[in-house]
Amino acid sequence: MASILEIEQLNVSYNGIPALQNVGLQAEKGEILGIVGESGSGKSTLLKAVIGLLGDNGRAESGRVVFEGTDLLRVPAKALRGIRGARLGMIFQNPGTSFNPIRKIGDQFLEAMRSHGKTDRTAAIQQILEMLARLGLRDGERILYSYPFELSGGMNQRVAIALAMILRPQLLLADEPTSALDVTVQAQCVKEMMDLRDSLGTTILLVTHNMGVVSYMADKVAVMYAGRIVEYGAKADVLNCPRHPYTRALIEAIPQIGGGAPKGIQGQPSAAKGTPDGCDFSSRCRFSDNICAFERPVMNDCGQGHAVFCHKCFSEVLHEGVRVNGY
Amino acid sequence: MKVLELTDIKKTFWKNKQCFSAVDGVSFSIEKGECVGLVGESGCGKSTVARMITRLEKTDSGEIFVNGENVTRCKGKALRDMYRHIQMVFQNPVDSFNPRLKLGSSIGEVLANFGTPRGEIKQKVERLLVQVGLEPAMAMRYPHEVSGGQCQRAAIARAIAIAPELLICDEATSALDVSVQAQIMELLFRLRKETQMSYLFISHDLALVQSICDRVLVMHRGRIVEAGDTREVIEHAAHPYTRLLLASVFPLHPDPQWKIPDVPTAQGEEGDACRFWQRCPSCGELCRTERPSLRKLNERHDVACHFAE
Ligand SMILES: Nc1ncnc2c1ncn2[C@@H]1O[C@H](COP(=O)(O)OP(=O)(O)OP(=O)(O)O)[C@@H](O)[C@H]1O
Ligand SMILES: Nc1ncnc2c1ncn2[C@@H]1O[C@H](COP(=O)(O)OP(=O)(O)OP(=O)(O)O)[C@@H](O)[C@H]1O
Ligand code: SF4
Ligand SMILES: [Mg+2]
Ligand SMILES: [Mg+2]
């Protein structure tokens, strides 16, 4: 089966400084790909590159982003606008980005639906209210009459989820869609996204810091560090038997109910550097040795599509299970 | 000594000629050096409480005391003095920065306003950035030129710049991966030890709250429904809403037994009823006619439910 989305050798930079380096991944129809990783590692940049909204100083330098057979990096701006919304939906990390701050929420929904051919106002409003209710927003009427600043953080986030889902896209790019939600509402929203996938076969790229949500939703997981994908594979492989030292350290830092204060990874978080050699994680890595500081690792195949960007991924020490907060 | 005390504060908003009660009588206090967690449903009024404390939102009724002084309606110099004691990390970091100022200038501005000599500002800003895990060069970026989590860390740097006595963190780590989050928690923990800083820590992450807070308050639809020592509340949750929250946390390693709890959505207005009754598994006759108020379960645990024990 042909992948619905195929990203190859993608390089992106801001003002000439690299933010993504040789990123590649595929997603099939109906698949959910979880993307986790360090703050600043390029997760949002990856989603923005797919939808073509990198901003004034961002540039896709090379690579391909093939969606349903078309390379989005080479599509004229006008055609891209037609694809956005209807076939390709995005939930931005900052819900404010999805909305015009000085227009009422309801008007913005209606406009988006009209521009994609849904013209019956009463039916549209009914549809919006139903969607909002499914996301746990009880007073939909009030929300439609509100401006974004009159809603709480989590209400705005859910309205943004609703706006992205109401056009029933084939590919949904979700950047931290539930970070402002309490856990009960989060569970409801996760359920709605899964339902969209189940009923329509929507493919979802899900960026989140919440490992529980990744673990529930994702089929495959990509872990990012300093502008690269450093580990990639089936969810069970990546979360249960992580082979990259960064992934292991990340999983060990998850706070658990009943656990003590979690420990972070020593050293400064690092941005993509684009330096010619060495592993970007080597100065913070528990397992690093000489070779790590001087030679850049390659993507090693650890079997069954489990790919790891590390010199040591075959070594015995990385085969033990991870400790989660002392458990 | 109490750094902060709120007595029965209330806030209603008008929308579409209808009044909407966002905060409906909230009281609590925070001791010096204490870390108090505030959790609850999205839209239940947590940020509004924080915005009332920092006076970004007027208080309709009730009083707010900072270090024993009534600041509910203070103005001018008194208000400025209050900001020396209280700083806040806003829920939406990107919007809390002036988009036309570089991050370094925004942080420097706070330092300058509270008396740091011009010559020392640049160096101090860089030190603060390193403390929150950012490169000093980030000072030269605009808010829209950094990642979500980097902007959030810059907001934390700005809030701790003048070492306030009370730091209000409104979802202050929601955009951080767990490792960077742990580093920020270590920083806050150190500040607390060194300067006796107190925290009001608003968060949706129950595990995080549980690992750092001394006490926790659970809010639901404008009111506090459960409060007490963190361990006590998490281990012996008494309010059905708190229990629902705890049951809704996605486990890390998928447990085949675990399912998303199935709860009905509430509809319409409740009038005098308990605001949770439509979703409550243990709702009785009394709940539909009388709203429960906060009562003591034991020395370290309060709950607002007719049937909790
Ligand atoms: N408009 C921009 N101009 C310059 N640099 C940028 C811009 N946007 C992002 N960056 C930089 O690119 C890197 C990747 O940013 P990105 O937003 O993709 O990170 P992220 O993985 O989404 O992080 P977070 O989890 O904190 O949101 C960061 O180091 C950031 O500072
Ligand atoms: N300026 C305003 N005008 C009208 N209503 C408002 C305004 N600010 C907040 N509200 C309403 O008050 C309620 C409480 O909002 P608040 O932001 O305090 O929630 P919250 O508990 O912080 O939620 P979240 O966890 O989603 O951030 C919401 O229903 C919101 O719509
Ligand atoms: S390549 Fe070396 S330094 Fe990099 S993650 Fe692997 S072991 Fe650690
Ligand atoms: Mg991001
Ligand atoms: Mg809020």
Side-chain angles (χ1 to χ4, degrees):
Chain A
M1 189 171 63
S3 303
I4 189 164
L5 178 74
E6 230 167 298
I7 301 179
E8 284 168 19
Q9 297 284 316
L10 179 64
N11 285 280
V12 172
S13 67
Y14 292 106
N15 299 321
I17 303 169
L20 288 185
Q21 309 189 52
N22 289 332
V23 167
L25 53 85
Q26 309 88 35
E28 316 295 331
K29 186 172 166 62
E31 199 167 46
I32 301 182
L33 173 67
I35 302 173
V36 301
E38 190 161 62
S39 168
S41 61
K43 304 179 296 296
S44 302
T45 303
L46 176 57
L47 298 196
K48 287 188 208 158
V50 172
I51 200 169
L53 293 173
L54 282 168
D56 297 337
N57 54 3
R59 227 173 81 93
E61 306 282 355
S62 61
R64 298 183 344 128
V65 176
V66 182
F67 170 59
E68 295 183 323
T70 1
D71 185 351
L72 295 181
L73 299 182
R74 282 164 192 83
V75 163
K78 192 153 158 264
L80 195 56
R81 246 170 288 155
I83 299 175
R84 252 181 239 149
R87 315 231 17 107
L88 191 58
M90 171 121 181
I91 303 166
F92 289 90
Q93 183 169 18
N94 176 2
T97 317
S98 309
F99 296 105
N100 179 340
I102 55 168
R103 292 187 56 210
K104 294 198 176 118
I105 299 282
D107 295 341
Q108 304 196 39
F109 262 95
L110 290 171
E111 186 187 291
M113 292 172 79
R114 243 194 327 267
S115 70
H116 288 102
K118 301 219 160 48
T119 41
D120 181 346
R121 193 187 150 92
T122 333
I125 290 184
Q126 195 51 40
Q127 207 187 336
I128 301 167
L129 289 177
E130 272 167 25
M131 174 68 90
L132 293 178
R134 284 206 302 272
L135 297 174
L137 287 165
R138 57 201 305 276
D139 33 11
E141 304 266 355
R142 172 168 74 96
I143 289 166
L144 293 186
Y145 281 106
S146 295
Y147 295 96
F149 78 90
E150 293 174 323
L151 301 179
S152 81
M155 292 163 90
N156 269 318
Q157 196 165 46
R158 278 177 281 169
V159 173
I161 298 177
L163 187 61
M165 296 213 319
I166 205 149
L167 294 168
R168 303 168 66 79
Q170 282 303 309
L171 175 62
L172 181 64
L173 307 172
D175 197 353
E176 300 282 358
T178 63
S179 63
L181 305 178
D182 70 83
V183 287
T184 49
V185 169
Q186 169 174 279
Q188 251 171 309
C189 292
V190 162
K191 191 165 162 295
E192 285 310 316
M193 285 190 275
M194 304 276 286
D195 283 355
L196 183 73
R197 189 273 297 268
D198 294 342
S199 65
L200 207 68
T202 299
T203 303
I204 305 179
L205 297 198
L206 170 80
V207 171
T208 175
H209 291 306
N210 189 320
M211 299 296 234
V213 170
V214 174
S215 162
Y216 186 81
M217 281 183 77
D219 302 306
K220 286 194 296 199
V221 176
V223 183
M224 293 189 67
Y225 187 81
R228 292 175 189 275
I229 291 181
V230 295
E231 182 155 9
Y232 183 70
K235 165 177 70 186
D237 290 336
V238 176
L239 295 186
N240 299 343
C241 323
R243 290 287 186 82
H244 195 286
Y246 172 69
T247 314
R248 297 172 72 94
L250 186 68
I251 291 175
E252 285 170 13
I254 300 172
Q256 302 278 314
I257 288 180
K263 283 263 175 293
I265 304 168
Q266 289 306 309
Q268 289 292 97
S270 62
K273 286 202 193 65
T275 40
D277 38 39
C279 165
D280 291 318
F281 191 56
S282 59
S283 62
R284 307 170 72 190
C285 178
R286 273 194 278 153
F287 303 97
S288 79
D289 68 14
N290 271 335
I291 187 178
C292 303
F294 299 108
E295 195 175 307
R296 190 176 290 299
V298 292
M299 259 304 186
N300 292 302
D301 183 358
C302 294
Q304 275 135 20
H306 189 180
V308 184
F309 192 76
C310 168
H311 289 299
K312 302 273 165 180
C313 63
F314 298 110
S315 83
E316 287 296 311
V317 276
L318 283 168
H319 285 215
E320 296 160 17
V322 273
R323 288 172 284 126
V324 175
N325 217 356
Y327 282 75
Chain B
M1 202 183 74
K2 288 189 172 72
V3 176
L4 177 75
E5 184 166 16
L6 309 182
T7 56
D8 203 25
I9 59 168
K10 291 188 180 163
K11 179 83 198 171
T12 44
F13 292 107
W14 287 85
K15 190 77 228 170
N16 242 1
K17 303 193 189 71
Q18 281 186 340
C19 106
F20 173 82
S21 155
V23 176
D24 187 15
V26 163
S27 312
F28 65 89
S29 63
I30 300 180
E31 298 287 326
K32 196 167 179 56
E34 195 180 28
C35 180
V36 175
L38 178 57
V39 302
E41 196 173 32
S42 167
C44 70
K46 303 178 296 296
S47 299
T48 305
V49 167
R51 292 170 63 83
M52 280 152 83
I53 298 170
T54 47
R55 292 292 304 281
L56 298 167
E57 208 77 78
K58 282 212 189 87
T59 306
D60 291 350
S61 70
E63 311 290 329
I64 301 171
F65 299 87
V66 172
N67 286 328
E69 220 168 295
N70 190 333
V71 299
T72 327
R73 277 161 278 274
C74 72
K75 287 201 209 49
K77 181 163 180 312
L79 185 60
R80 244 181 69 100
D81 283 348
M82 189 192 84
Y83 287 127
R84 177 179 289 286
H85 302 305
I86 300 186
Q87 288 284 313
M88 171 153 160
V89 183
F90 292 87
Q91 182 166 17
N92 199 340
V94 185
D95 299 343
S96 76
F97 281 102
N98 180 340
R100 275 178 285 276
L101 281 188
K102 294 190 174 139
L103 292 172
S105 315
S106 286
I107 300 171
E109 199 174 31
V110 177
L111 287 166
N113 283 345
F114 289 97
T116 308
R118 283 272 157 215
E120 291 171 23
I121 288 181
K122 186 161 180 287
Q123 206 192 347
K124 272 208 166 159
V125 167
E126 290 182 354
R127 230 195 60 212
L128 284 162
L129 289 176
V130 172
Q131 277 191 320
V132 295
L134 295 174
E135 286 163 25
M138 287 279 171
M140 302 306 289
R141 300 262 189 98
Y142 289 97
H144 63 271
E145 293 181 335
V146 297
S147 81
Q150 288 168 339
C151 193
Q152 195 164 50
R153 282 178 277 160
I156 294 172
R158 178 178 60 180
I160 62 174
I162 57 165
E165 281 176 65
L166 174 67
L167 184 62
I168 301 178
C169 298
D170 193 354
E171 300 289 348
T173 61
S174 64
L176 304 179
D177 64 89
V178 288
S179 161
V180 170
Q181 168 176 279
Q183 285 177 304
I184 294 291
M185 291 328 330
E186 284 165 30
L187 170 68
L188 297 186
F189 195 78
R190 202 169 65 235
L191 288 174
R192 180 175 167 193
K193 254 200 346 229
E194 286 167 8
T195 69
Q196 288 273 308
M197 203 184 276
S198 319
Y199 298 93
L200 177 60
F201 198 84
I202 302 174
S203 176
H204 289 307
D205 188 336
L206 297 170
L208 184 66
V209 163
Q210 177 265 176
S211 73
I212 59 157
C213 294
D214 307 309
R215 269 192 307 132
V216 61
L217 316 166
V218 184
M219 244 178 114
H220 178 258
R221 311 264 317 273
R223 293 187 162 201
I224 292 179
V225 295
E226 183 155 11
D229 284 3
T230 310
R231 260 193 94 131
E232 171 77 17
V233 171
I234 300 277
E235 282 171 17
H236 307 285
H239 197 284
Y241 176 65
T242 314
R243 291 189 184 158
L244 174 64
L245 273 182
L246 289 165
S248 307
V249 177
F250 283 93
L252 173 59
H253 292 295
D255 173 349
Q257 311 280 309
W258 189 85
K259 280 205 308 283
I260 291 179
D262 195 16
V263 275
T265 312
Q267 260 141 26
E269 278 310 308
E270 284 86 3
D272 288 333
C274 170
R275 284 189 159 185
F276 191 60
W277 79 267
Q278 297 181 52
R279 306 171 66 195
C280 184
S282 36
C283 169
E285 202 43 50
L286 186 56
C287 309
R288 276 170 234 174
T289 50
E290 193 181 309
R291 184 167 314 166
S293 46
L294 213 55
R295 65 186 163 91
K296 265 206 166 359
L297 268 186
N298 64 44
E299 263 321 294
R300 296 170 295 137
H301 199 165
D302 300 336
V303 67
C305 167
H306 292 302
F307 298 110
E309 51 195 37

